[in-house]
Amino acid sequence: MSNPKKIHVSTTVNGEPCEFLCEPGQVLSNALRNNLDMTGTKEGCSTGDCGACSVMLDGALVCSCLVLAAEAEGRTIETVEGVADGNALHPIQQKLLEHAALQCGICTPGIVVAAKSLLERHPDPSEEEVRYYLAGNLCRCTGYDKIIRAVLDAGTVMRGE
Amino acid sequence: MSINIQTDFKTVGTRPIRPDGPDKVTGRAKYGADLNLSGMLYGHIVRSPHAHAVIKSIDFSAALAMPGVVATMSAEDLPEPGDRILPGAEIEMKLKDISPIIMARGKVLFHSQAVAAVAATSESLAAEAAKRVVVEYEVLPHVLDVHAAMADDAPLVHDDVFTQGIDPAPTRPSNLSADFEMAKGDIEAGFAEADLVIERTYNVPMCHQGYIEPHACVARSDENGKIEIWCCTQGPFMVRNMTAEITGIDLGKIKVTASEIGGGFGGKTTVYVEPVATILACKSGRPVKIVMSRDEVFRASGPVSSAETQVKIGAKKDGTLTAIKTDILMDSGAFSSSPILPATMFAAACYRCDNMHSRGREVLTNKPKAWAYRAPGAPQSIMAVECAVNELAQGLGIDPIDFRLLNAVEEGDVPLFGVPFQSIGLKQSLEAAKNHPNYQAALEQNQGRGVAAAFWINAGLQSSATIHVAEDGSLNVLTGNPDIGGSRASMAMLAAEVLGIPVETVRPSVVDTDSVGYCDTTGGSRTTLATGSAVMKAAGMLREELKHRAAAIWNVDIKEVEWYDGMAVVHSGIGIDELRDELRAGTAGRNPEKVLTMAELAAQAGATGGPLTASASVHAHSAQPSFAVNICDVQVDRDTGKVDILRYTCVQDAGKAVHPAYVEGQMQGGAVQGIGWALNEEYLFNDQGVLENAGFLDYRIPVASDLPMIDTVIVEVPNPLHPFGVRGVGEVPICPPMPAVATAVNRAAGTQLYDLPLSPPKLLAAIEGAGADNEAA
Amino acid sequence: MAKVIFPSDLQAFTGDTAEVEVTSVNYRDLVAELSGRYPALTEEAIRKHALAIDGMIIHNPFLEAFNSDSELVFFAKIAGG
Ligand code: FES
Ligand code: FES
């Protein structure tokens, strides 16, 4: 195999313009982590089954391990690194901490991105809705109880209740 | 033996936000795969396509011909393990059972065993190069099933394994690697006394720990032969020791830094990739990173032994247990590493019974080498005993919790494994379960309830801690135990409690193997207990030193100085009690003649003898068992066989809960792992020994929508050997769920299905079978 | 005299004796006393076990002492997950 030519990608990550070179077969999670050094996006499976790599692509929640890096051309990407406002944590981040809703924390960035996307679309979800929305985000440590409570609680804060 | 146990706490028992939390919710925290170094190569491991074969030759020439391929390795690059025993390990381990997992030597014994590795300038190049490594095999007959493996004519997994534990020692090698028994009383007389005897076989499948973070590491070497390893592990000192032994590199040349760890549950208490990256780094002179794929994690790391357990259990009409007999058969995969010992010893540890017999057999097969998973071995055998106890209680018309209360062990009772119980909280946990609303909730049609109790021993072992006081009186607490579920928070809390200072002024960290004394691995529910004891000891030493410094400043005798609420106070003139009253009432004011705070003492450290620092180490003997009781309510869909968990409650004697939220988290997480093992999780091999469900899509761990909230009740019966009453908490939570779920499902479905997992097709067939039986009757 | 309880794997070396009384009051003497009494029970076999002294499980009891009425149980070393 001769090394295939790299592809030049211009994209927007967390509101800032950004360029990188990727291999044709490289996936977005890998490019974020290894080309852009944004290792907040995690990889637990690289087959779309664990949700650790969740990012927003043009406003849609995706598993970045299932998106080719080259597909980011001209699109808008939001990752966990862009969720907090400077040093002010987003309510979902704050509530995950307050509820002790992380143990090892490897699933947490994906949960943060997915839960934020849920609460932005459905500001007042039921417990069941939260459970189904997060069904693609595996957590092996917590049994989900505290995560679900944290997301519901974050919803309350975001609604200003 | 007992000590004075503190019961009045300032910090212990509160729920501060964990100090490492903000890094984890923002994505800043660095895990195993998150380190990249300049000039770094990527390693890729070549794995066996056969379950059992002789490696005839390995040809790297085509791979090395590719531009960008820099180094290769195989077992040739590792020293012969011979009969060496791994020195310093907590449990005796033979190097020849570990080294071949890193690189197969001469033979492969399971599909996907590591055979060779390559390092190249990119991940894709390394993967391509690995495909071009030509390995010639001579395929041998393999054996996958434990019963087949015990047959006289079965292919031998090893020709030098002779059954341990039988007398006289066998002269022929076999796949039955261990066969031992433990007994007390007269088991047959016990059954003769019984009014009801239940006898049944229970199957728990091989599963995986399922941590979300794959094994990952970066290794680099330098001109002086010094090695640095960055990796996700439960034990950086274990990685140092094992890497040294496996590679033959001096231990003193290796430094291991544990990254943040994305789950382990026992699965990261050994090495898979670190020695490979180390050799490739030495051979190339460049940093080498290896990240296992999820597929590799499933095929080649840590599966958990399956168990087939026969239980025979008898009781009198009044519910008194008269005899408990267990016979456990465990699949260890290709090397002797199953938890057959604890499975056999602890199967019925919850029960007081004069006549007990337990047999354990470990069998080798051409499957991946089994490894530890949370309370290793106990969930499998406890599953069997607890289901049988439920059936026995039902047969006798006794409430299952009442039945357990009648037979539960308490202080002074001697279990089968011989060590008498100290103060324990099984009865209190059973009472708490009985009084929980979950136990009173009404059940409807197709719904069922199961309860189960469980025991785990907990470990102590060796730990070290160092505390430095900064110039402002804040603290750095350094330990060597990776924080897998919030242990940095508990280390900070324990130091804060001993010194009486706010927990926010304590900065705990997990440091590398060069920067703190030896620590055994994070595991065995030992970190808060043992590493916490080292922290408490160091904090206590520091407290004494601070009193001395205060005495020097005040120029009084040390006897006149007390440590109170984070401050040194002098009680010259008035009694200490009087002074305390004054301090409590706030009338002592802030007179520096009487009071010196941490900050004030730290500021004067230079004048009073230099920086304030303390290091301590322990070999903790204070570990004491934990007990747990779970209640599970399910609903069964009779048309599809699907099970829904309606309600779930975990009760656990945690001893003193240092950070209750993280204790609850352990209980909830363990319960859900057990629910997954009961309902879905299992390894499926084809007849060639190839794992057919090596991904999270087909190996289905519980997801959020599968579950209800998991209710928790922490019972606090203090550990009589720990100054704060702390017990281990991390492991026992996975022991009761399987029998609680299995009993609930069988009650709901009217079945007797004890072959886990209770997946929909299997349960549907059992429901249909039970229906047909009823019609026939 | 202190009472010693052998697990089943050690009973293979003690001629099936499960319980024995010893005069030793520390671990090192205990190892010598037991291996003297049961030649098949080697020091190595004993040292593979932890020792529970009156309910306290000690993984490496090399320096431990106990009382003449202590109950000693040899115990398989278990580290956990
Ligand atoms: S890494 Fe993308 S879903 Fe698991
Ligand atoms: S906290 Fe460990 S996987 Fe979720």
Side-chain angles (χ1 to χ4, degrees):
Chain A
M1 183 182 81
S2 60
N3 252 338
K5 255 212 161 133
K6 291 202 172 172
I7 301 170
H8 179 262
V9 178
S10 301
T11 184
T12 304
V13 180
N14 297 328
E16 289 173 8
C18 156
E19 296 179 55
F20 59 85
L21 291 175
C22 68
E23 293 181 17
Q26 197 177 353
V27 293
L28 180 59
S29 53
N30 191 302
L32 286 169
R33 293 171 48 78
N34 296 326
N35 301 37
L36 300 176
D37 205 19
M38 297 178 73
T39 56
T41 298
K42 304 301 178 191
E43 288 175 319
C45 66
S46 303
T47 50
D49 300 316
C50 78
C53 63
S54 300
V55 302
M56 303 301 287
L57 183 64
D58 285 347
L61 180 65
V62 297
C63 289
S64 58
C65 70
L66 295 183
V67 177
L68 285 173
E71 290 180 75
E73 174 67 35
R75 321 262 302 258
T76 307
I77 301 162
E78 292 160 76
T79 71
V80 68
E81 286 92 345
V83 172
D85 181 6
N87 281 335
L89 293 178
H90 186 275
I92 179 67
Q93 294 172 313
Q94 185 60 33
K95 289 297 168 189
L96 286 167
L97 292 179
E98 286 173 14
H99 285 263
L102 48 141
Q103 284 175 32
C104 79
I106 193 85
C107 66
T108 308
I111 302 254
V112 166
V113 171
K116 178 169 173 274
S117 133
L118 165 67
L119 294 174
E120 283 169 358
R121 273 152 209 257
H122 305 284
D124 192 6
S126 66
E127 179 193 328
E128 197 181 1
E129 284 166 335
V130 177
R131 288 188 179 277
Y132 276 91
Y133 201 87
L134 293 182
N137 289 84
L138 299 182
C139 174
R140 189 58 156 175
C141 300
T142 64
Y144 304 102
D145 181 300
K146 293 183 189 301
I147 295 175
I148 305 300
R149 288 178 202 274
V151 174
L152 290 168
D153 201 5
T156 315
V157 173
M158 287 167 70
R159 293 193 302 276
E161 283 170 20
Chain B
M1 143 127 217
S2 69
I3 53 173
N4 282 334
I5 300 173
Q6 185 173 333
T7 52
D8 182 18
F9 299 99
K10 198 167 138 184
T11 301
V12 164
T14 63
R15 300 174 178 233
I17 286 183
R18 61 195 286 171
D20 53 312
D23 281 351
K24 288 182 172 164
V25 297
T26 54
R28 282 194 302 267
K30 294 285 185 196
Y31 290 76
D34 295 346
L35 182 72
N36 289 327
L37 298 175
S38 65
M40 190 174 80
L41 303 175
Y42 296 83
H44 198 104
I45 294 175
V46 179
R47 298 184 179 279
S48 168
H50 306 293
H52 197 190
V54 174
I55 302 168
K56 301 197 72 175
S57 64
I58 304 177
D59 181 357
F60 290 108
S61 53
L64 280 168
M66 296 169 70
V69 175
V70 183
T72 64
M73 79 163 289
S74 68
E76 298 272 287
D77 296 290
L78 304 175
E80 280 270 1
D83 283 327
R84 239 177 115 64
I85 303 288
L86 201 69
E90 297 154 26
I91 302 283
E92 184 181 286
M93 278 189 271
K94 296 187 183 115
L95 197 53
K96 68 179 180 190
D97 288 343
I98 301 167
S99 182
I101 299 299
I102 304 308
M103 281 292 147
R105 183 174 291 274
K107 268 186 190 177
V108 288
L109 303 180
F110 61 91
H111 180 269
S112 288
Q113 188 173 355
V115 173
V118 298
T121 49
S122 76
E123 279 174 282
S124 52
L125 201 54
E128 184 60 31
K131 286 190 202 140
R132 300 205 188 175
V133 176
V134 180
V135 186
E136 203 188 334
Y137 295 96
E138 179 192 326
V139 177
L140 299 171
H142 59 268
V143 63
L144 300 171
D145 173 76
V146 283
H147 293 282
M150 289 193 295
D152 278 345
D153 57 351
L156 283 177
V157 181
H158 296 268
D159 54 18
D160 60 349
V161 168
F162 299 84
T163 312
Q164 300 266 312
I166 50 176
D167 193 27
T171 51
R172 269 177 22 136
S174 84
N175 295 324
L176 178 63
S177 45
D179 182 352
F180 64 95
E181 293 176 340
M182 309 185 80
K184 69 172 191 171
D186 181 339
I187 194 79
E188 291 315 321
F191 286 120
E193 255 186 279
D195 294 310
L196 180 62
V197 172
I198 301 288
E199 195 169 1
R200 201 177 276 289
T201 301
Y202 303 84
N203 275 295
V204 174
M206 185 172 270
C207 72
H208 194 274
Q209 295 84 345
Y211 34 83
I212 305 297
E213 179 197 32
H215 299 269
C217 73
V218 178
R220 73 168 160 207
S221 66
D222 74 6
E223 301 70 17
N224 299 319
K226 205 170 163 353
I227 308 291
E228 284 190 49
I229 301 171
W230 158 280
C231 61
C232 53
T233 178
Q234 292 178 239
F237 290 90
M238 171 278 297
V239 171
R240 183 174 74 171
N241 186 9
M242 283 201 178
T243 302
E245 286 297 313
I246 291 164
T247 61
I249 295 170
D250 293 345
L251 182 142
K253 291 196 164 160
I254 303 173
K255 171 171 131 182
V256 180
T257 304
S259 66
E260 293 295 339
I261 176 171
F265 316 109
K268 289 177 185 163
T269 60
T270 186
V271 291
Y272 295 102
V273 289
E274 295 84 348
V276 179
T278 298
I279 294 289
L280 290 170
C282 289
K283 289 179 85 169
S284 64
R286 291 168 68 173
V288 175
K289 179 174 188 170
I290 301 182
V291 181
M292 269 188 169
S293 68
R294 176 56 51 184
D295 183 85
E296 289 178 288
V297 169
F298 273 115
R299 294 184 196 281
S301 79
V304 179
S305 287
S306 63
E308 177 186 305
T309 304
Q310 282 176 283
V311 177
K312 188 175 175 188
I313 184 165
K316 292 193 210 165
K317 279 201 192 84
D318 66 3
T320 317
L321 280 168
T322 60
I324 307 175
K325 188 174 178 186
T326 50
D327 187 343
I328 305 149
L329 192 57
M330 272 195 161
D331 187 346
S332 189
F335 295 86
S336 173
S337 55
S338 79
I340 187 65
L341 260 171
T344 310
M345 291 162 75
F346 305 147
C350 287
Y351 302 104
R352 175 196 290 159
C353 179
D354 291 336
N355 308 301
M356 289 177 137
H357 186 278
S358 191
R359 180 184 188 195
R361 283 175 291 170
E362 177 190 75
V363 181
L364 304 181
T365 59
N366 293 110
K367 297 213 215 52
K369 171 184 172 163
W371 201 249
Y373 184 26
R374 216 168 187 167
Q380 292 95 318
S381 63
I382 286 174
M383 152 72 198
V385 169
E386 289 301 299
C387 286
V389 164
N390 285 336
E391 199 176 344
L392 189 60
Q394 188 178 36
L396 293 167
I398 303 175
D399 171 89
I401 294 188
D402 288 340
F403 183 92
R404 286 178 171 84
L405 278 166
L406 193 65
N407 293 289
V409 285
E410 55 192 349
E411 185 170 356
D413 284 335
V414 181
L416 183 58
F417 59 87
V419 183
F421 286 119
Q422 315 270 309
S423 173
I424 51 173
L426 175 56
K427 286 201 164 167
Q428 292 87 329
S429 301
L430 286 163
E431 294 284 0
K434 197 176 166 185
N435 294 327
H436 193 280
N438 188 351
Y439 202 59
Q440 323 301 335
L443 293 171
E444 292 164 21
Q445 213 189 353
N446 298 326
Q447 297 184 349
R449 173 168 299 146
V451 295
F455 159 93
W456 180 249
I457 188 83
N458 296 331
L461 304 173
Q462 303 176 73
S463 284
S464 311
T466 294
I467 304 182
H468 302 304
V469 183
E471 299 89 306
D472 64 350
S474 63
L475 255 55
N476 284 97
V477 173
L478 317 181
T479 72
N481 278 102
D483 177 352
I484 208 159
S487 60
R488 260 166 297 195
S490 20
M491 296 307 115
M493 292 169 78
L494 292 169
E497 187 71 50
V498 170
L499 286 161
I501 55 175
V503 69
E504 301 73 39
T505 65
V506 185
R507 292 177 299 276
S509 37
V510 179
V511 296
D512 65 67
T513 53
D514 279 2
S515 305
V516 72
Y518 179 84
C519 292
D520 275 322
T521 297
T522 296
S525 310
R526 61 175 290 280
T527 304
T528 300
L529 180 108
T531 309
S533 292
V535 169
M536 288 169 67
K537 190 172 166 187
M541 289 158 64
L542 198 56
R543 191 178 52 198
E544 286 316 298
E545 177 64 18
L546 287 161
K547 279 164 64 181
H548 274 100
R549 302 286 179 105
I553 292 168
W554 287 322
N555 200 15
V556 299
D557 192 280
I558 178 73
K559 289 199 204 76
E560 291 176 39
V561 178
E562 280 290 319
W563 190 259
Y564 179 79
D565 217 14
M567 297 173 287
V569 293
V570 67
H571 55 92
S572 357
I574 57 168
I576 180 67
D577 290 336
E578 206 180 321
L579 182 67
R580 267 188 198 162
D581 289 344
E582 268 186 34
L583 285 164
R584 279 206 185 108
T587 49
R590 296 278 300 104
N591 180 353
E593 298 277 283
K594 284 188 176 171
V595 175
L596 281 168
T597 63
M598 279 290 291
E600 289 160 346
L601 288 163
Q604 297 200 52
T608 56
L612 289 156
T613 170
S615 288
S617 67
V618 298
H619 194 151
H621 301 148
S622 47
Q624 283 286 297
S626 290
F627 289 87
V629 179
N630 284 184
I631 309 167
C632 173
D633 290 356
V634 302
Q635 169 146 337
V636 168
D637 182 334
R638 299 189 67 85
D639 296 327
T640 61
K642 181 172 184 291
V643 173
D644 283 315
I645 309 280
L646 298 174
R647 285 174 287 269
Y648 203 98
T649 302
C650 312
V651 183
Q652 183 174 328
D653 172 19
K656 182 64 199 171
V658 176
H659 193 308
Y662 286 105
V663 173
E664 292 162 5
Q666 291 295 319
M667 294 162 73
Q668 293 164 331
V672 168
Q673 287 181 326
I675 291 169
W677 206 352
L679 293 179
N680 283 309
E681 295 179 35
E682 79 180 304
Y683 263 33
L684 299 167
F685 290 95
N686 71 13
D687 62 1
Q688 295 304 301
V690 181
L691 185 63
E692 293 203 299
N693 56 337
F696 279 135
L697 189 60
D698 300 313
Y699 182 96
R700 196 174 178 287
I701 72 171
V703 304
S705 54
D706 293 341
L707 297 157
M709 292 298 185
I710 307 291
D711 214 347
T712 55
V713 181
I714 301 175
V715 172
E716 294 186 310
V717 176
N719 172 358
L721 304 182
H722 186 281
F724 293 167
V726 171
R727 291 177 197 271
V729 295
E731 293 175 291
V732 77
I734 201 177
C735 299
M738 282 195 281
V741 172
T743 301
V745 170
N746 281 309
R747 297 277 161 93
T751 49
Q752 297 280 16
L753 178 62
Y754 292 106
D755 183 15
L756 302 188
L758 304 178
S759 55
K762 229 196 267 176
L763 184 59
L764 192 58
I767 290 171
E768 282 163 1
D773 286 354
N774 287 345
E775 272 164 42
Chain C
M1 291 206 288
K3 186 168 88 177
V4 177
I5 296 168
F6 295 113
S8 42
D9 61 325
L10 287 184
Q11 286 171 31
F13 306 113
T14 63
D16 286 341
T17 303
E19 230 181 88
V20 66
E21 299 213 316
V22 292
T23 53
S24 306
V25 287
N26 67 57
Y27 179 75
R28 276 184 278 194
D29 289 351
L30 175 72
V31 174
E33 184 175 349
L34 293 176
S35 50
R37 198 176 310 180
Y38 307 104
L41 185 61
T42 58
E43 264 195 57
E44 195 199 339
I46 297 175
R47 288 194 200 280
K48 276 185 193 169
H49 290 76
L51 184 69
I53 302 176
D54 299 321
M56 187 192 283
I57 297 169
I58 300 171
H59 257 236
N60 191 341
F62 182 63
L63 294 179
E64 295 300 322
F66 38 84
N67 301 321
S68 56
D69 62 347
S70 283
E71 185 170 293
L72 312 172
V73 185
F74 284 103
F75 187 82
K77 287 190 181 175
I78 287 166

